[in-house]
Amino acid sequence: MKPTKKLIIAVDGPAAAGKGTLAKSLAQVLGLPYLDTGLLYRAVARRVIDQGANPHDDATVFAESLETDDLERNDLRQPEVDQAASLVARQPGVRAALLERQRHFGRLGGAVIDGRDIGTVVFPDADMKFFITASPGVRAQRRYRQRYGHDCDDETVLQKEVRAITERDQQDASRDVAPLKPAIDAVMIKTDHLTAADVLHKTLDVLRERGLLGS
Ligand code: C5P
């Protein structure tokens, strides 16, 4: 399936809503590069933690000196990084340092980019914007499955995951710079009762309806 031009597709939404899964498959089907912008904030947070620094303190210097190797580490998805990433992501200096990097990536040849502020700040003129959501309970279960490879049947553990996710969303949505929120022209998709394949087909239908896909 070929896009009619080098599309920029923004996929935003809260934690563990299925943005990454969708963005990756869309990129693959459409032959576009994929960027997970959460990894940038995670990599900054990882460096902060490794240096024994406080994630509440200004981490701009870590963001400015981020290298490709930092993004390829396999310890960027640990729970302590989730929380620290959300704290460094509140900082205007960190966001400014990462902004041009994201824009440069998209402008090279179009891209599917997932994050929190892609449709509102990074690419306000994106060809297409999706905002993916799901209820906290569903997201907590998905996050658990991603981490451990099976469903969580312990309600206490699940509730702890719900609290962590809700706290992070609240932090992301209430910050002054580039808060988590849908762009005014985003297509909203709630994924509670949808499979990953359903969501992919839904988004492809929208792209087709808007004339953004060739036959
Ligand atoms: O998407 P992921 O959960 O990997 O993102 C980690 C954290 O990075 C988020 O909680 C959010 O604080 C931050 N983030 C952001 N803007 C983005 C992507 C991620 O603030 N575009």
Side-chain angles (χ1 to χ4, degrees), residues 12-16 19 36-42 76-77 81-82 85-87 89-90 95 102 114-118 122 143 168-169 171-172 175 177-178:
D12 288 306
K19 309 181 295 293
D36 170 1
T37 60
L39 270 191
L40 299 171
Y41 295 92
R42 287 175 179 276
L76 299 179
R77 299 206 176 271
V81 181
D82 290 356
S86 181
L87 289 172
R90 299 177 72 89
R95 301 204 75 87
Q102 297 170 69
D114 83 61
R116 303 291 188 290
D117 62 336
I118 309 305
V122 182
R143 177 48 48 94
R168 189 145 68 94
D169 289 348
Q171 210 159 264
D172 289 343
R175 66 185 175 220
V177 256

PDB file of all heavy atoms in Angstrom, residues 12-16 19 36-42 76-77 81-82 85-87 89-90 95 102 114-118 122 143 168-169 171-172 175 177-178, ligand 1:
ATOM      1  N   ASP A  12      -0.709  10.006  18.779  1.00  0.00           N
ATOM      2  CA  ASP A  12      -0.530  10.417  20.176  1.00  0.00           C
ATOM      3  C   ASP A  12      -1.506   9.676  21.077  1.00  0.00           C
ATOM      4  O   ASP A  12      -2.491   9.090  20.613  1.00  0.00           O
ATOM      5  CB  ASP A  12      -0.787  11.929  20.301  1.00  0.00           C
ATOM      6  CG  ASP A  12       0.333  12.748  19.678  1.00  0.00           C
ATOM      7  OD1 ASP A  12       1.509  12.537  20.060  1.00  0.00           O
ATOM      8  OD2 ASP A  12       0.042  13.598  18.810  1.00  0.00           O
ATOM      9  N   GLY A  13      -1.241   9.774  22.372  1.00  0.00           N
ATOM     10  CA  GLY A  13      -2.155   9.176  23.333  1.00  0.00           C
ATOM     11  C   GLY A  13      -1.439   8.881  24.636  1.00  0.00           C
ATOM     12  O   GLY A  13      -0.216   9.028  24.735  1.00  0.00           O
ATOM     13  N   PRO A  14      -2.202   8.460  25.657  1.00  0.00           N
ATOM     14  CA  PRO A  14      -1.599   8.166  26.965  1.00  0.00           C
ATOM     15  C   PRO A  14      -0.816   6.859  26.958  1.00  0.00           C
ATOM     16  O   PRO A  14      -0.788   6.141  25.948  1.00  0.00           O
ATOM     17  CB  PRO A  14      -2.827   8.060  27.884  1.00  0.00           C
ATOM     18  CG  PRO A  14      -3.929   7.648  26.988  1.00  0.00           C
ATOM     19  CD  PRO A  14      -3.655   8.262  25.651  1.00  0.00           C
ATOM     20  N   ALA A  15      -0.198   6.566  28.097  1.00  0.00           N
ATOM     21  CA  ALA A  15       0.670   5.384  28.228  1.00  0.00           C
ATOM     22  C   ALA A  15      -0.083   4.083  27.949  1.00  0.00           C
ATOM     23  O   ALA A  15      -1.222   3.909  28.398  1.00  0.00           O
ATOM     24  CB  ALA A  15       1.223   5.342  29.655  1.00  0.00           C
ATOM     25  N   ALA A  16       0.580   3.201  27.225  1.00  0.00           N
ATOM     26  CA  ALA A  16       0.084   1.830  26.978  1.00  0.00           C
ATOM     27  C   ALA A  16      -1.303   1.758  26.331  1.00  0.00           C
ATOM     28  O   ALA A  16      -2.048   0.813  26.557  1.00  0.00           O
ATOM     29  CB  ALA A  16       0.101   1.018  28.282  1.00  0.00           C
ATOM     30  N   LYS A  19      -0.456   2.918  21.062  1.00  0.00           N
ATOM     31  CA  LYS A  19       0.110   3.823  20.053  1.00  0.00           C
ATOM     32  C   LYS A  19       1.273   3.190  19.308  1.00  0.00           C
ATOM     33  O   LYS A  19       1.376   3.254  18.104  1.00  0.00           O
ATOM     34  CB  LYS A  19       0.692   5.103  20.663  1.00  0.00           C
ATOM     35  CG  LYS A  19      -0.142   5.868  21.592  1.00  0.00           C
ATOM     36  CD  LYS A  19       0.606   7.109  22.071  1.00  0.00           C
ATOM     37  CE  LYS A  19       1.843   6.830  22.897  1.00  0.00           C
ATOM     38  NZ  LYS A  19       1.583   6.222  24.206  1.00  0.00           N
ATOM     39  N   ASP A  36       9.615   6.323  17.611  1.00  0.00           N
ATOM     40  CA  ASP A  36       8.988   6.252  18.933  1.00  0.00           C
ATOM     41  C   ASP A  36       9.621   7.360  19.771  1.00  0.00           C
ATOM     42  O   ASP A  36      10.738   7.209  20.269  1.00  0.00           O
ATOM     43  CB  ASP A  36       9.280   4.862  19.517  1.00  0.00           C
ATOM     44  CG  ASP A  36       8.897   4.746  20.988  1.00  0.00           C
ATOM     45  OD1 ASP A  36       8.382   5.722  21.559  1.00  0.00           O
ATOM     46  OD2 ASP A  36       9.124   3.657  21.554  1.00  0.00           O
ATOM     47  N   THR A  37       8.925   8.486  19.927  1.00  0.00           N
ATOM     48  CA  THR A  37       9.554   9.622  20.598  1.00  0.00           C
ATOM     49  C   THR A  37       9.662   9.403  22.108  1.00  0.00           C
ATOM     50  O   THR A  37      10.476  10.039  22.770  1.00  0.00           O
ATOM     51  CB  THR A  37       8.801  10.944  20.325  1.00  0.00           C
ATOM     52  OG1 THR A  37       7.457  10.826  20.815  1.00  0.00           O
ATOM     53  CG2 THR A  37       8.783  11.262  18.850  1.00  0.00           C
ATOM     54  N   GLY A  38       8.854   8.483  22.653  1.00  0.00           N
ATOM     55  CA  GLY A  38       8.968   8.167  24.075  1.00  0.00           C
ATOM     56  C   GLY A  38      10.376   7.673  24.409  1.00  0.00           C
ATOM     57  O   GLY A  38      10.901   7.929  25.504  1.00  0.00           O
ATOM     58  N   LEU A  39      10.984   7.006  23.444  1.00  0.00           N
ATOM     59  CA  LEU A  39      12.339   6.476  23.672  1.00  0.00           C
ATOM     60  C   LEU A  39      13.344   7.592  23.924  1.00  0.00           C
ATOM     61  O   LEU A  39      14.305   7.416  24.683  1.00  0.00           O
ATOM     62  CB  LEU A  39      12.817   5.685  22.449  1.00  0.00           C
ATOM     63  CG  LEU A  39      12.525   4.200  22.378  1.00  0.00           C
ATOM     64  CD1 LEU A  39      13.307   3.580  21.232  1.00  0.00           C
ATOM     65  CD2 LEU A  39      12.882   3.500  23.700  1.00  0.00           C
ATOM     66  N   LEU A  40      13.125   8.747  23.291  1.00  0.00           N
ATOM     67  CA  LEU A  40      14.051   9.875  23.493  1.00  0.00           C
ATOM     68  C   LEU A  40      14.014  10.321  24.951  1.00  0.00           C
ATOM     69  O   LEU A  40      15.057  10.518  25.590  1.00  0.00           O
ATOM     70  CB  LEU A  40      13.670  11.047  22.584  1.00  0.00           C
ATOM     71  CG  LEU A  40      13.708  10.792  21.067  1.00  0.00           C
ATOM     72  CD1 LEU A  40      13.087  11.966  20.316  1.00  0.00           C
ATOM     73  CD2 LEU A  40      15.149  10.595  20.600  1.00  0.00           C
ATOM     74  N   TYR A  41      12.783  10.462  25.477  1.00  0.00           N
ATOM     75  CA  TYR A  41      12.646  10.898  26.870  1.00  0.00           C
ATOM     76  C   TYR A  41      13.130   9.816  27.830  1.00  0.00           C
ATOM     77  O   TYR A  41      13.712  10.100  28.877  1.00  0.00           O
ATOM     78  CB  TYR A  41      11.187  11.293  27.148  1.00  0.00           C
ATOM     79  CG  TYR A  41      10.789  12.492  26.333  1.00  0.00           C
ATOM     80  CD1 TYR A  41      10.204  12.337  25.066  1.00  0.00           C
ATOM     81  CD2 TYR A  41      11.068  13.778  26.773  1.00  0.00           C
ATOM     82  CE1 TYR A  41       9.889  13.444  24.281  1.00  0.00           C
ATOM     83  CE2 TYR A  41      10.748  14.888  26.000  1.00  0.00           C
ATOM     84  CZ  TYR A  41      10.165  14.702  24.759  1.00  0.00           C
ATOM     85  OH  TYR A  41       9.860  15.805  23.988  1.00  0.00           O
ATOM     86  N   ARG A  42      12.887   8.570  27.443  1.00  0.00           N
ATOM     87  CA  ARG A  42      13.371   7.455  28.263  1.00  0.00           C
ATOM     88  C   ARG A  42      14.900   7.434  28.305  1.00  0.00           C
ATOM     89  O   ARG A  42      15.508   7.167  29.349  1.00  0.00           O
ATOM     90  CB  ARG A  42      12.849   6.119  27.707  1.00  0.00           C
ATOM     91  CG  ARG A  42      11.388   5.912  27.973  1.00  0.00           C
ATOM     92  CD  ARG A  42      10.834   4.652  27.320  1.00  0.00           C
ATOM     93  NE  ARG A  42       9.427   4.530  27.640  1.00  0.00           N
ATOM     94  CZ  ARG A  42       8.962   3.993  28.769  1.00  0.00           C
ATOM     95  NH1 ARG A  42       9.791   3.475  29.648  1.00  0.00           N
ATOM     96  NH2 ARG A  42       7.680   3.965  29.018  1.00  0.00           N
ATOM     97  N   LEU A  76      15.506   0.587  28.734  1.00  0.00           N
ATOM     98  CA  LEU A  76      14.777   1.863  28.699  1.00  0.00           C
ATOM     99  C   LEU A  76      13.310   1.724  29.102  1.00  0.00           C
ATOM    100  O   LEU A  76      12.610   2.717  29.222  1.00  0.00           O
ATOM    101  CB  LEU A  76      14.861   2.482  27.295  1.00  0.00           C
ATOM    102  CG  LEU A  76      16.267   2.813  26.791  1.00  0.00           C
ATOM    103  CD1 LEU A  76      16.208   3.406  25.380  1.00  0.00           C
ATOM    104  CD2 LEU A  76      16.980   3.785  27.730  1.00  0.00           C
ATOM    105  N   ARG A  77      12.855   0.494  29.306  1.00  0.00           N
ATOM    106  CA  ARG A  77      11.428   0.309  29.589  1.00  0.00           C
ATOM    107  C   ARG A  77      11.162  -0.177  31.012  1.00  0.00           C
ATOM    108  O   ARG A  77      10.098  -0.708  31.309  1.00  0.00           O
ATOM    109  CB  ARG A  77      10.805  -0.654  28.575  1.00  0.00           C
ATOM    110  CG  ARG A  77      10.917  -0.130  27.165  1.00  0.00           C
ATOM    111  CD  ARG A  77       9.875  -0.639  26.230  1.00  0.00           C
ATOM    112  NE  ARG A  77      10.011  -0.011  24.922  1.00  0.00           N
ATOM    113  CZ  ARG A  77       9.429   1.118  24.581  1.00  0.00           C
ATOM    114  NH1 ARG A  77       8.623   1.744  25.405  1.00  0.00           N
ATOM    115  NH2 ARG A  77       9.635   1.645  23.384  1.00  0.00           N
ATOM    116  N   VAL A  81      12.259   3.952  34.906  1.00  0.00           N
ATOM    117  CA  VAL A  81      12.471   4.850  33.763  1.00  0.00           C
ATOM    118  C   VAL A  81      11.143   5.483  33.334  1.00  0.00           C
ATOM    119  O   VAL A  81      11.100   6.657  32.952  1.00  0.00           O
ATOM    120  CB  VAL A  81      13.144   4.099  32.580  1.00  0.00           C
ATOM    121  CG1 VAL A  81      13.383   5.042  31.407  1.00  0.00           C
ATOM    122  CG2 VAL A  81      14.451   3.462  33.025  1.00  0.00           C
ATOM    123  N   ASP A  82      10.033   4.729  33.423  1.00  0.00           N
ATOM    124  CA  ASP A  82       8.702   5.289  33.100  1.00  0.00           C
ATOM    125  C   ASP A  82       8.517   6.608  33.847  1.00  0.00           C
ATOM    126  O   ASP A  82       8.174   7.634  33.275  1.00  0.00           O
ATOM    127  CB  ASP A  82       7.559   4.377  33.608  1.00  0.00           C
ATOM    128  CG  ASP A  82       7.437   3.068  32.848  1.00  0.00           C
ATOM    129  OD1 ASP A  82       8.172   2.857  31.867  1.00  0.00           O
ATOM    130  OD2 ASP A  82       6.595   2.243  33.257  1.00  0.00           O
ATOM    131  N   ALA A  85      11.151   9.403  33.123  1.00  0.00           N
ATOM    132  CA  ALA A  85      10.967   9.982  31.782  1.00  0.00           C
ATOM    133  C   ALA A  85       9.884  11.058  31.835  1.00  0.00           C
ATOM    134  O   ALA A  85      10.018  12.128  31.247  1.00  0.00           O
ATOM    135  CB  ALA A  85      10.579   8.891  30.786  1.00  0.00           C
ATOM    136  N   SER A  86       8.814  10.760  32.570  1.00  0.00           N
ATOM    137  CA  SER A  86       7.725  11.720  32.663  1.00  0.00           C
ATOM    138  C   SER A  86       8.184  12.989  33.396  1.00  0.00           C
ATOM    139  O   SER A  86       7.722  14.093  33.094  1.00  0.00           O
ATOM    140  CB  SER A  86       6.553  11.048  33.383  1.00  0.00           C
ATOM    141  OG  SER A  86       5.475  11.901  33.484  1.00  0.00           O
ATOM    142  N   LEU A  87       9.114  12.837  34.330  1.00  0.00           N
ATOM    143  CA  LEU A  87       9.614  14.013  35.064  1.00  0.00           C
ATOM    144  C   LEU A  87      10.555  14.861  34.197  1.00  0.00           C
ATOM    145  O   LEU A  87      10.439  16.081  34.166  1.00  0.00           O
ATOM    146  CB  LEU A  87      10.335  13.567  36.348  1.00  0.00           C
ATOM    147  CG  LEU A  87       9.408  13.026  37.443  1.00  0.00           C
ATOM    148  CD1 LEU A  87      10.209  12.438  38.597  1.00  0.00           C
ATOM    149  CD2 LEU A  87       8.480  14.130  37.947  1.00  0.00           C
ATOM    150  N   ALA A  89      10.471  14.966  31.048  1.00  0.00           N
ATOM    151  CA  ALA A  89       9.674  15.464  29.919  1.00  0.00           C
ATOM    152  C   ALA A  89       8.902  16.734  30.254  1.00  0.00           C
ATOM    153  O   ALA A  89       8.383  17.412  29.379  1.00  0.00           O
ATOM    154  CB  ALA A  89       8.704  14.379  29.443  1.00  0.00           C
ATOM    155  N   ARG A  90       8.836  17.073  31.540  1.00  0.00           N
ATOM    156  CA  ARG A  90       8.167  18.325  31.944  1.00  0.00           C
ATOM    157  C   ARG A  90       9.053  19.539  31.688  1.00  0.00           C
ATOM    158  O   ARG A  90       8.604  20.665  31.763  1.00  0.00           O
ATOM    159  CB  ARG A  90       7.881  18.315  33.457  1.00  0.00           C
ATOM    160  CG  ARG A  90       6.981  17.238  33.937  1.00  0.00           C
ATOM    161  CD  ARG A  90       6.852  17.299  35.461  1.00  0.00           C
ATOM    162  NE  ARG A  90       6.045  18.449  35.870  1.00  0.00           N
ATOM    163  CZ  ARG A  90       4.730  18.404  36.007  1.00  0.00           C
ATOM    164  NH1 ARG A  90       4.087  17.287  35.817  1.00  0.00           N
ATOM    165  NH2 ARG A  90       4.042  19.464  36.363  1.00  0.00           N
ATOM    166  N   ARG A  95      12.664  19.397  26.321  1.00  0.00           N
ATOM    167  CA  ARG A  95      11.774  19.316  25.153  1.00  0.00           C
ATOM    168  C   ARG A  95      12.367  20.085  23.984  1.00  0.00           C
ATOM    169  O   ARG A  95      12.321  19.627  22.842  1.00  0.00           O
ATOM    170  CB  ARG A  95      10.374  19.828  25.502  1.00  0.00           C
ATOM    171  CG  ARG A  95       9.709  19.081  26.632  1.00  0.00           C
ATOM    172  CD  ARG A  95       8.202  19.177  26.585  1.00  0.00           C
ATOM    173  NE  ARG A  95       7.631  18.334  25.560  1.00  0.00           N
ATOM    174  CZ  ARG A  95       7.307  17.050  25.736  1.00  0.00           C
ATOM    175  NH1 ARG A  95       7.470  16.479  26.894  1.00  0.00           N
ATOM    176  NH2 ARG A  95       6.815  16.354  24.740  1.00  0.00           N
ATOM    177  N   GLN A 102      13.321  15.406  16.307  1.00  0.00           N
ATOM    178  CA  GLN A 102      12.096  14.746  15.862  1.00  0.00           C
ATOM    179  C   GLN A 102      11.637  15.322  14.523  1.00  0.00           C
ATOM    180  O   GLN A 102      11.253  14.592  13.612  1.00  0.00           O
ATOM    181  CB  GLN A 102      10.983  14.935  16.909  1.00  0.00           C
ATOM    182  CG  GLN A 102      11.314  14.291  18.243  1.00  0.00           C
ATOM    183  CD  GLN A 102      10.316  14.712  19.332  1.00  0.00           C
ATOM    184  OE1 GLN A 102       9.164  14.333  19.311  1.00  0.00           O
ATOM    185  NE2 GLN A 102      10.774  15.506  20.286  1.00  0.00           N
ATOM    186  N   ASP A 114       5.110   8.345  17.005  1.00  0.00           N
ATOM    187  CA  ASP A 114       4.200   8.264  18.150  1.00  0.00           C
ATOM    188  C   ASP A 114       4.750   8.987  19.362  1.00  0.00           C
ATOM    189  O   ASP A 114       5.968   9.103  19.533  1.00  0.00           O
ATOM    190  CB  ASP A 114       3.778   6.812  18.442  1.00  0.00           C
ATOM    191  CG  ASP A 114       4.756   6.012  19.274  1.00  0.00           C
ATOM    192  OD1 ASP A 114       5.022   6.413  20.414  1.00  0.00           O
ATOM    193  OD2 ASP A 114       5.207   4.962  18.786  1.00  0.00           O
ATOM    194  N   GLY A 115       3.838   9.544  20.158  1.00  0.00           N
ATOM    195  CA  GLY A 115       4.259  10.304  21.339  1.00  0.00           C
ATOM    196  C   GLY A 115       3.075  10.903  22.066  1.00  0.00           C
ATOM    197  O   GLY A 115       2.010  10.287  22.178  1.00  0.00           O
ATOM    198  N   ARG A 116       3.280  12.105  22.599  1.00  0.00           N
ATOM    199  CA  ARG A 116       2.224  12.789  23.356  1.00  0.00           C
ATOM    200  C   ARG A 116       1.852  14.118  22.705  1.00  0.00           C
ATOM    201  O   ARG A 116       0.744  14.602  22.883  1.00  0.00           O
ATOM    202  CB  ARG A 116       2.704  13.104  24.791  1.00  0.00           C
ATOM    203  CG  ARG A 116       3.159  11.899  25.611  1.00  0.00           C
ATOM    204  CD  ARG A 116       1.994  11.012  25.959  1.00  0.00           C
ATOM    205  NE  ARG A 116       2.341   9.944  26.902  1.00  0.00           N
ATOM    206  CZ  ARG A 116       3.100   8.895  26.624  1.00  0.00           C
ATOM    207  NH1 ARG A 116       3.621   8.755  25.424  1.00  0.00           N
ATOM    208  NH2 ARG A 116       3.336   7.965  27.537  1.00  0.00           N
ATOM    209  N   ASP A 117       2.821  14.726  22.011  1.00  0.00           N
ATOM    210  CA  ASP A 117       2.633  16.089  21.493  1.00  0.00           C
ATOM    211  C   ASP A 117       2.981  16.177  20.011  1.00  0.00           C
ATOM    212  O   ASP A 117       3.314  17.239  19.508  1.00  0.00           O
ATOM    213  CB  ASP A 117       3.562  17.040  22.266  1.00  0.00           C
ATOM    214  CG  ASP A 117       5.042  16.689  22.073  1.00  0.00           C
ATOM    215  OD1 ASP A 117       5.351  15.516  21.747  1.00  0.00           O
ATOM    216  OD2 ASP A 117       5.896  17.587  22.223  1.00  0.00           O
ATOM    217  N   ILE A 118       2.882  15.055  19.307  1.00  0.00           N
ATOM    218  CA  ILE A 118       3.303  15.082  17.899  1.00  0.00           C
ATOM    219  C   ILE A 118       2.325  15.922  17.065  1.00  0.00           C
ATOM    220  O   ILE A 118       2.745  16.789  16.295  1.00  0.00           O
ATOM    221  CB  ILE A 118       3.430  13.644  17.317  1.00  0.00           C
ATOM    222  CG1 ILE A 118       4.290  12.766  18.239  1.00  0.00           C
ATOM    223  CG2 ILE A 118       4.013  13.683  15.899  1.00  0.00           C
ATOM    224  CD1 ILE A 118       5.653  13.313  18.560  1.00  0.00           C
ATOM    225  N   VAL A 122       5.035  19.029  17.709  1.00  0.00           N
ATOM    226  CA  VAL A 122       6.155  18.622  16.843  1.00  0.00           C
ATOM    227  C   VAL A 122       5.767  18.782  15.373  1.00  0.00           C
ATOM    228  O   VAL A 122       6.503  19.398  14.589  1.00  0.00           O
ATOM    229  CB  VAL A 122       6.600  17.176  17.148  1.00  0.00           C
ATOM    230  CG1 VAL A 122       7.795  16.780  16.286  1.00  0.00           C
ATOM    231  CG2 VAL A 122       6.960  17.026  18.625  1.00  0.00           C
ATOM    232  N   ARG A 143       0.068  -3.339  29.575  1.00  0.00           N
ATOM    233  CA  ARG A 143       1.442  -3.028  29.993  1.00  0.00           C
ATOM    234  C   ARG A 143       2.062  -4.247  30.688  1.00  0.00           C
ATOM    235  O   ARG A 143       3.211  -4.621  30.451  1.00  0.00           O
ATOM    236  CB  ARG A 143       1.402  -1.795  30.915  1.00  0.00           C
ATOM    237  CG  ARG A 143       2.696  -1.315  31.545  1.00  0.00           C
ATOM    238  CD  ARG A 143       3.878  -1.175  30.634  1.00  0.00           C
ATOM    239  NE  ARG A 143       3.689  -0.472  29.389  1.00  0.00           N
ATOM    240  CZ  ARG A 143       3.907   0.806  29.169  1.00  0.00           C
ATOM    241  NH1 ARG A 143       4.322   1.568  30.134  1.00  0.00           N
ATOM    242  NH2 ARG A 143       3.747   1.333  27.978  1.00  0.00           N
ATOM    243  N   ARG A 168       1.146   8.829  35.832  1.00  0.00           N
ATOM    244  CA  ARG A 168       1.991   9.318  34.736  1.00  0.00           C
ATOM    245  C   ARG A 168       1.161  10.145  33.744  1.00  0.00           C
ATOM    246  O   ARG A 168       1.592  11.197  33.287  1.00  0.00           O
ATOM    247  CB  ARG A 168       2.656   8.118  34.035  1.00  0.00           C
ATOM    248  CG  ARG A 168       3.701   8.508  33.035  1.00  0.00           C
ATOM    249  CD  ARG A 168       4.839   7.512  33.014  1.00  0.00           C
ATOM    250  NE  ARG A 168       4.474   6.214  32.486  1.00  0.00           N
ATOM    251  CZ  ARG A 168       4.615   5.844  31.225  1.00  0.00           C
ATOM    252  NH1 ARG A 168       5.127   6.703  30.352  1.00  0.00           N
ATOM    253  NH2 ARG A 168       4.299   4.632  30.831  1.00  0.00           N
ATOM    254  N   ASP A 169      -0.051   9.663  33.424  1.00  0.00           N
ATOM    255  CA  ASP A 169      -0.925  10.419  32.508  1.00  0.00           C
ATOM    256  C   ASP A 169      -1.215  11.802  33.069  1.00  0.00           C
ATOM    257  O   ASP A 169      -1.221  12.794  32.345  1.00  0.00           O
ATOM    258  CB  ASP A 169      -2.290   9.723  32.351  1.00  0.00           C
ATOM    259  CG  ASP A 169      -2.192   8.450  31.562  1.00  0.00           C
ATOM    260  OD1 ASP A 169      -1.140   8.190  30.941  1.00  0.00           O
ATOM    261  OD2 ASP A 169      -3.178   7.690  31.565  1.00  0.00           O
ATOM    262  N   GLN A 171       0.516  13.511  35.186  1.00  0.00           N
ATOM    263  CA  GLN A 171       1.732  14.319  35.125  1.00  0.00           C
ATOM    264  C   GLN A 171       1.940  14.834  33.692  1.00  0.00           C
ATOM    265  O   GLN A 171       2.258  15.993  33.479  1.00  0.00           O
ATOM    266  CB  GLN A 171       2.897  13.407  35.503  1.00  0.00           C
ATOM    267  CG  GLN A 171       4.048  14.098  36.181  1.00  0.00           C
ATOM    268  CD  GLN A 171       4.860  13.058  36.952  1.00  0.00           C
ATOM    269  OE1 GLN A 171       4.684  12.866  38.138  1.00  0.00           O
ATOM    270  NE2 GLN A 171       5.739  12.371  36.243  1.00  0.00           N
ATOM    271  N   ASP A 172       1.723  13.952  32.709  1.00  0.00           N
ATOM    272  CA  ASP A 172       1.936  14.323  31.309  1.00  0.00           C
ATOM    273  C   ASP A 172       0.894  15.334  30.821  1.00  0.00           C
ATOM    274  O   ASP A 172       1.187  16.191  30.000  1.00  0.00           O
ATOM    275  CB  ASP A 172       1.900  13.075  30.405  1.00  0.00           C
ATOM    276  CG  ASP A 172       3.122  12.179  30.599  1.00  0.00           C
ATOM    277  OD1 ASP A 172       4.131  12.656  31.167  1.00  0.00           O
ATOM    278  OD2 ASP A 172       3.082  11.005  30.181  1.00  0.00           O
ATOM    279  N   ARG A 175       1.346  19.203  32.608  1.00  0.00           N
ATOM    280  CA  ARG A 175       2.566  20.031  32.535  1.00  0.00           C
ATOM    281  C   ARG A 175       2.311  21.265  31.671  1.00  0.00           C
ATOM    282  O   ARG A 175       1.388  21.282  30.842  1.00  0.00           O
ATOM    283  CB  ARG A 175       3.727  19.205  31.986  1.00  0.00           C
ATOM    284  CG  ARG A 175       3.548  18.770  30.561  1.00  0.00           C
ATOM    285  CD  ARG A 175       4.682  17.855  30.092  1.00  0.00           C
ATOM    286  NE  ARG A 175       4.393  17.369  28.764  1.00  0.00           N
ATOM    287  CZ  ARG A 175       4.626  16.142  28.346  1.00  0.00           C
ATOM    288  NH1 ARG A 175       5.172  15.257  29.141  1.00  0.00           N
ATOM    289  NH2 ARG A 175       4.343  15.796  27.106  1.00  0.00           N
ATOM    290  N   VAL A 177       4.459  22.721  29.420  1.00  0.00           N
ATOM    291  CA  VAL A 177       4.908  22.633  28.017  1.00  0.00           C
ATOM    292  C   VAL A 177       4.428  21.344  27.368  1.00  0.00           C
ATOM    293  O   VAL A 177       4.608  20.260  27.911  1.00  0.00           O
ATOM    294  CB  VAL A 177       6.457  22.622  27.890  1.00  0.00           C
ATOM    295  CG1 VAL A 177       6.997  23.938  27.433  1.00  0.00           C
ATOM    296  CG2 VAL A 177       7.120  22.102  29.128  1.00  0.00           C
ATOM    297  N   ALA A 178       3.870  21.491  26.185  1.00  0.00           N
ATOM    298  CA  ALA A 178       3.459  20.356  25.361  1.00  0.00           C
ATOM    299  C   ALA A 178       2.743  19.260  26.147  1.00  0.00           C
ATOM    300  O   ALA A 178       3.147  18.096  26.128  1.00  0.00           O
ATOM    301  CB  ALA A 178       4.691  19.781  24.643  1.00  0.00           C
TER     302      ALA A 178
HETATM  303  O1  C5P B   1       5.537   6.646  25.229  1.00  0.00           O
HETATM  304  P1  C5P B   1       6.373   6.316  26.459  1.00  0.00           P
HETATM  305  O2  C5P B   1       5.570   5.715  27.565  1.00  0.00           O
HETATM  306  O3  C5P B   1       7.585   5.516  26.118  1.00  0.00           O
HETATM  307  O4  C5P B   1       6.905   7.743  26.960  1.00  0.00           O
HETATM  308  C1  C5P B   1       7.603   7.899  28.174  1.00  0.00           C
HETATM  309  C2  C5P B   1       7.374   9.287  28.706  1.00  0.00           C
HETATM  310  O5  C5P B   1       7.976  10.231  27.818  1.00  0.00           O
HETATM  311  C3  C5P B   1       5.904   9.728  28.787  1.00  0.00           C
HETATM  312  O6  C5P B   1       5.303   9.407  30.018  1.00  0.00           O
HETATM  313  C4  C5P B   1       5.979  11.231  28.591  1.00  0.00           C
HETATM  314  O7  C5P B   1       6.204  11.882  29.822  1.00  0.00           O
HETATM  315  C5  C5P B   1       7.216  11.429  27.733  1.00  0.00           C
HETATM  316  N1  C5P B   1       6.897  11.735  26.351  1.00  0.00           N
HETATM  317  C6  C5P B   1       6.574  13.030  26.054  1.00  0.00           C
HETATM  318  N2  C5P B   1       6.379  13.409  24.762  1.00  0.00           N
HETATM  319  C7  C5P B   1       6.453  12.510  23.786  1.00  0.00           C
HETATM  320  C8  C5P B   1       6.749  11.154  24.069  1.00  0.00           C
HETATM  321  C9  C5P B   1       6.945  10.797  25.383  1.00  0.00           C
HETATM  322  O8  C5P B   1       6.486  13.863  26.940  1.00  0.00           O
HETATM  323  N3  C5P B   1       6.268  12.918  22.512  1.00  0.00           N
END
